[in-house]
Amino acid sequence: MSTISVTQFHKVFFEESLEGLDAMETALLALDEGGDAELVHSIFRAAHSIKGGAATFGFPEMAAFTHEAESLLDQVREGRRAIDKPIIELMLRTVDCLRGMFERAQGGQPLADASSEELKRQLAAAVGREVPAPTAKVAAKPAASNGWSIKFRPHAGMLAGGNDPLRLLRELAALGQLVVEAQLDRVPTLDALDPSECHLGWHLTLTGAATREAIASVFEWVEDECDLSIEPLVAAAPPPAPAVETDAAPAGAGAAAGTTRSAAASSNDAGSVRVGIDKIDSLIDLVGELVITQAMLDQFREDFDPSRLSMLQEGLAQLARHTRSLQESVMGIRMLPIGSVFNRFPRLVRDLSQKLGKQVKLELVGEHTELDKTVLEKIGDPLVHLVRNAIDHGLEIPEKRRAAGKGDVGTLRLEASHRGGSIVVEIVDDGAGLNREAIINKALQKGLIKSAEGISDEEVGELIFQPGFSTAAVTTDLSGRGVGMDVVRRNVVDLGGNVAIKSRPGNGTTFTITLPLTLAIIDGLSAGVGDECYIVPLVSIVESIQLPAEAVRSVTGGGELFRFRDEYLPIVRLHQQFGCATARQKIEEGLVIVVEADGNRVGLFVDELIGQQQAVVKSLEANYRRVDGISGATILADGSVALIVDVAGIIRLQARRKAA
Amino acid sequence: MAKILAVDDSASMRGMVAFTLRSAGYEVSEAENGQLALDTAAASRFDLVLADVNMPVMDGISMVRELRARPDYKGVPILMLTTESNTDKKMEGKAAGATGWLVKPFDPEQLLATVRRVLG
């Protein structure tokens, strides 16, 4: 049995502990705003679980660290200490420090560092105790004896506690040679006997090298439920003189355990998703339905008769329905509530607003809105940047707010919602709005625009997304981290979404992020070019038109343009772009699909449109290599492969060609 | 083989206890808190209950008290899994009707040794 290794539980321990830390942080922030005692209990519970787990799963430094935090929380929990700002601050730093320890634990690195040791000292000082230094302690050497006389009489109710005296006798027998003599004097007559009570007592003689401690530990659980005496046998040799023992320094033991930790913890970034049991149940239901449908269709294999055609059609329709539902359910497994990303903001907003001397009330709306896990993981950084930005540049300090006739406390709202096939996340502040003049001046200075004449508010908003743009007079360490709004937009666009800005001068700014529900399946239009089939994402398509030959103008350098509404758009011939042969070379023989990305439009020339379909996106990079203008591949109903057109990429390529 | 109910709000702890006991051939059911444990214990009878002390919804000590009040569980061993090394909690558990306790951290061998001791 010695083969059971606790390392296999590390992953789940890390996961639950990180969740526990999130809960601790949330509760601490709620306490900061005057919460109740239940919050203290939940914080204590989280710390307590981490300590227990850390000790069990082989992280003694973490257990020792958490022990100090737990002691402090215990004082608060028992009302021996009031919870105040400094303690909340200290506990928040503890949460951060533990997160760092978990990160290092996952990487198999040593857990404790200088800052964790310092924090541990501060926690210990707050508890009112010096850091325990290795101390020598005087302990009496257990007295040895060549035998013991034990008198053991359980109280009548001992059996009710689940302790069986026979178990204790068996344990004693394992310590040496045991002679058992039962005391029957208290056994009542049969009519008065209650079988759930214990009426016996024992005189026991144990010979051998057992210590008094070993014997006492057998009775440890029942010492308050029995009369017990343990005496050395009369002929016992005199006990040896007490000796001095030194406790080994606990730090040494900790370091040793740290280095022997298994490497299993370091290779666990495969990622996992927690799925609600209801989602799994619905999947199982659907698979059940599918099996029934399959069985029904199977009948037709043996004996098909044209008279049963309608049944076959019905069966196929059912199959299509179930497959669709199954697809939706499976996609649903990857969907997680955005709340897990929103959770980090209360802390961020608190720290930031304190640092800047601003008062900010954070409102979180629509935390249950679900997003694809991949999108969720990547949306965190852009959101953090926008929130930082809103507090740093958008919201004003209290004096300025008062001067503008607003309340001292600014409001920052993060709101997530479903809108059509997209997820919309809005970051709304009630600050000063965009400073039109400052932005235009900066853009002039950077050469982003030639003159300030006739620039619309919309265009001013767009300017801040230009690379290298920053209006802050002094680059603070908050927003000015070398990351501009252009990076925010690029990150969002990479996820297939977009960011828009709307400013209300004097009343605030709204950033709107639109994201696709999932990255794994897209709705697309399939288009034929020669023998090939290409998928154009439906979201990028403006419209499809057939052009007469005279609508196309050739320009120098070999490009072609056509007039679409009020503008001239370049034509990208897909057969040229991807080098595939087609008989349809003349513009009037094929179709032009007008597509748009980042506000730019081009016309894609294809032979024909095949139809609208959902495409499961497979990575081309992972299976082949990167190809310009292609974002992935998918497998068609007939088993052949179709490439998915990267509209933004094609537009970039087109612009580069034009410039060259 | 004996049936054991493992009660702990921490999935890793519960997982470790359940895995260890199952590897030794015991039949193990799991519950996340005292309340769920009471429901599980009502549905079938267990030969041993292992319960954490600190849990949300219903803590281990309240659970022991309620379990002991049921005729079915009068003499069934209930062990508290506790990190509280102070005697207060142990004694509180005892007063509620716990058979004994196992102090965390414990390793799989210690757990098995204690369980074998109790189940005989």
Side-chain angles (χ1 to χ4, degrees):
Chain A
M1 278 320 303
S2 59
T3 53
I4 294 179
S5 152
V6 292
T7 52
Q8 59 181 310
F9 301 104
H10 280 177
K11 196 168 172 191
V12 54
F13 169 57
F14 293 153
E15 269 176 26
E16 78 188 2
S17 299
L18 290 173
E19 275 173 28
L21 287 173
D22 288 348
M24 260 175 99
E25 184 171 68
T26 309
L28 283 165
L29 292 171
L31 268 182
D32 201 18
E33 302 189 338
D36 56 12
E38 185 41 43
L39 288 171
V40 177
H41 284 287
S42 74
I43 297 168
F44 177 83
R45 243 185 343 251
H48 184 77
S49 289
I50 291 172
K51 183 182 102 170
T56 303
F57 298 118
F59 302 104
E61 310 95 311
M62 190 189 288
F65 177 83
T66 319
H67 176 74
E68 298 299 342
E70 188 197 21
S71 304
L72 185 59
L73 286 166
D74 200 31
Q75 293 184 346
V76 173
R77 185 173 70 139
E78 298 190 337
R80 280 181 283 145
R81 169 191 286 275
I83 186 109
D84 54 10
K85 292 259 179 200
I87 288 196
I88 290 176
E89 193 63 44
L90 195 58
M91 291 313 304
L92 282 171
R93 280 168 51 211
T94 301
V95 168
D96 291 343
C97 181
L98 279 169
R99 282 205 183 106
M101 282 189 170
F102 276 107
E103 210 165 282
R104 294 194 286 277
Q106 278 164 326
Q109 297 159 352
L111 299 191
D113 60 14
S115 72
S116 74
E117 287 303 307
E118 171 56 27
L119 193 54
K120 188 164 130 194
R121 263 191 295 278
Q122 291 181 16
L123 285 166
V127 174
R129 170 153 40 84
E130 292 303 310
V131 182
T135 50
K137 80 172 182 189
V138 178
K141 190 104 182 161
S145 160
N146 60 358
W148 302 90
S149 164
I150 303 158
K151 290 186 179 144
F152 170 46
R153 180 172 282 281
H155 295 164
M158 193 179 108
L159 293 175
N163 275 300
D164 181 351
L166 288 179
R167 169 178 73 76
L168 305 176
L169 299 189
R170 270 197 302 270
E171 270 184 69
L172 279 180
L175 295 175
Q177 191 147 20
L178 187 70
V179 178
V180 182
E181 191 191 323
Q183 305 291 303
L184 307 172
D185 52 311
R186 294 199 198 159
V187 180
T189 55
L190 200 56
D191 56 340
L193 186 128
D194 180 345
S196 72
E197 292 189 346
C198 185
H199 308 281
L200 295 168
W202 289 272
H203 281 176
L204 306 155
T205 311
L206 181 69
T207 44
T211 60
R212 179 189 286 271
E213 283 70 22
I215 297 168
S217 83
V218 170
F219 293 100
E220 187 187 13
W221 292 348
V222 295
E223 58 191 1
D224 57 333
E225 291 179 88
C226 65
D227 298 324
L228 181 70
S229 77
I230 305 170
E231 300 296 336
L233 287 177
V234 186
V244 176
E245 269 196 335
T246 311
D247 248 9
T259 51
T260 55
R261 192 165 305 132
S262 149
S266 61
S267 59
N268 60 356
D269 42 6
S272 62
V273 182
R274 278 200 176 194
V275 182
I277 201 88
D278 54 327
K279 285 185 177 174
I280 291 178
D281 284 346
S282 98
L283 269 183
I284 290 169
D285 278 354
L286 280 167
V287 170
E289 299 270 351
L290 214 55
V291 169
I292 294 169
T293 310
Q294 192 266 334
M296 177 189 154
L297 289 171
D298 210 37
Q299 297 170 23
F300 297 105
R301 200 170 46 169
E302 297 285 296
D303 58 319
F304 181 72
D305 173 339
S307 68
R308 295 169 71 191
L309 183 63
S310 67
M311 266 183 80
L312 176 63
Q313 282 169 334
E314 192 186 314
L316 288 172
Q318 213 172 69
L319 184 67
R321 209 164 48 239
H322 292 325
T323 310
R324 180 92 197 181
S325 312
L326 193 62
Q327 178 194 332
E328 277 164 14
S329 295
V330 172
M331 296 316 296
I333 288 183
R334 289 186 56 86
M335 304 298 272
L336 296 172
I338 200 170
S340 59
V341 172
F342 278 4
N343 279 344
R344 69 175 87 169
F345 290 112
R347 174 74 188 279
L348 185 94
V349 169
R350 173 186 178 274
D351 290 358
L352 215 64
S353 51
Q354 273 186 5
K355 201 163 178 178
L356 293 169
K358 295 180 180 178
Q359 295 181 22
V360 183
K361 184 166 139 257
L362 178 68
E363 291 176 3
L364 299 175
V365 185
E367 291 132 294
H368 298 298
T369 309
E370 292 192 328
L371 263 178
D372 186 275
K373 186 176 189 292
T374 314
V375 180
L376 200 67
E377 280 166 357
K378 294 189 175 149
I379 199 60
D381 288 345
L383 277 180
V384 166
H385 194 85
L386 289 175
V387 166
R388 277 211 173 107
N389 206 70
I391 297 174
D392 203 7
H393 302 310
L395 293 167
E396 318 92 322
I397 53 171
E399 296 83 72
K400 275 200 180 161
R401 291 185 65 87
R402 269 198 298 275
K406 295 192 268 195
D408 284 10
V409 184
T411 305
L412 181 62
R413 195 174 80 237
L414 281 179
E415 180 169 356
S417 59
H418 279 272
R419 217 169 281 174
S422 304
I423 301 286
V424 175
V425 186
E426 287 188 324
I427 299 100
V428 186
D429 69 61
D430 68 345
L434 291 183
N435 186 338
R436 187 186 155 93
E437 211 169 307
I439 291 170
I440 289 180
N441 285 341
K442 186 80 176 185
L444 283 170
Q445 187 191 324
K446 295 251 166 188
L448 296 172
I449 50 172
K450 299 272 182 289
S451 100
E453 291 296 307
I455 289 187
S456 69
D457 285 350
E458 202 176 292
E459 285 165 325
V460 170
E462 281 299 309
L463 281 174
I464 66 167
F465 291 111
Q466 297 295 316
F469 189 90
S470 165
T471 56
V474 182
T475 315
T476 64
D477 67 333
L478 305 174
S479 308
R481 292 185 181 221
V483 184
M485 296 295 284
D486 57 319
V487 176
V488 170
R489 173 169 276 180
R490 183 141 26 89
N491 287 346
V492 175
V493 169
D494 283 348
L495 292 171
N498 205 354
V499 196
I501 181 172
K502 204 169 152 198
S503 167
R504 301 171 303 279
N507 289 316
T509 315
T510 300
F511 284 93
T512 307
I513 299 181
T514 313
L515 293 166
L517 272 179
T518 174
L519 297 178
I521 294 190
I522 59 160
D523 279 306
L525 195 64
S526 44
V529 179
D531 293 334
E532 301 293 324
C533 175
Y534 291 92
I535 311 275
V536 183
L538 218 51
V539 287
S540 333
I541 297 178
V542 182
E543 71 179 71
S544 310
I545 46 177
Q546 189 152 30
L547 290 177
E550 61 272 19
V552 178
R553 308 274 168 83
S554 292
V555 291
T556 43
E560 292 172 298
L561 294 177
F562 70 101
R563 193 176 172 81
F564 181 74
R565 295 176 194 161
D566 291 335
E567 52 185 338
Y568 280 96
L569 302 182
I571 291 178
V572 176
R573 288 171 176 260
L574 281 195
H575 63 94
Q576 281 176 354
Q577 176 78 42
F578 299 125
C580 53
T582 176
R584 302 195 199 181
Q585 298 284 347
K586 293 188 182 140
I587 220 79
E588 65 273 22
E589 288 173 347
L591 280 171
V592 171
I593 308 171
V594 180
V595 292
E596 177 179 323
D598 303 336
N600 299 312
R601 291 173 173 181
V602 298
L604 300 179
F605 179 63
V606 299
D607 292 4
E608 58 179 346
L609 294 185
I610 298 168
Q612 192 177 325
Q613 70 169 93
Q614 285 205 315
V616 179
V617 181
K618 309 268 179 198
S619 164
L620 202 59
E621 251 169 286
N623 297 307
Y624 176 52
R625 64 178 174 81
R626 216 191 111 67
V627 177
D628 282 339
I630 296 291
S631 61
T634 192
I635 295 168
L636 297 176
D638 64 0
S640 63
V641 173
L643 298 175
I644 299 165
V645 174
D646 172 13
V647 172
I650 290 218
I651 290 175
R652 272 198 300 274
L653 286 172
Q654 170 65 24
R656 223 175 294 156
R657 257 199 303 272
K658 202 171 76 186
Chain B
M1 202 59 177
K3 283 173 69 178
I4 303 177
L5 176 59
V7 193
D8 202 315
D9 58 323
S10 150
S12 56
M13 234 15 192
R14 212 171 56 231
M16 194 268 258
V17 168
F19 182 85
T20 303
L21 296 175
R22 282 186 191 123
S23 307
Y26 295 104
E27 196 181 311
V28 185
S29 295
E30 303 175 37
E32 262 183 55
N33 62 51
Q35 188 56 54
L36 293 172
L38 289 178
D39 297 345
T40 310
S44 67
R45 194 178 180 283
F46 292 88
D47 303 301
L48 169 65
V49 180
L50 299 168
D52 186 25
V53 175
N54 264 293
M55 292 183 288
V57 188
M58 182 190 279
D59 68 25
I61 290 175
S62 310
M63 185 210 82
V64 171
R65 202 171 289 127
E66 295 220 5
L67 208 52
R68 269 295 175 240
R70 295 181 182 175
D72 269 12
Y73 283 88
K74 265 227 140 55
V76 171
I78 306 177
L79 297 183
M80 311 294 303
L81 307 179
T82 170
T83 44
E84 325 272 352
S85 39
N86 64 39
T87 44
D88 289 6
K89 272 285 184 241
K90 286 178 187 169
M91 286 308 135
E92 212 183 308
K94 282 290 301 199
T99 306
W101 53 83
L102 191 56
V103 177
K104 294 182 197 172
F106 50 82
D107 61 30
E109 284 77 31
Q110 287 168 308
L111 171 68
L112 277 180
T114 308
V115 166
R116 290 204 173 108
R117 221 171 97 191
V118 176
L119 290 175

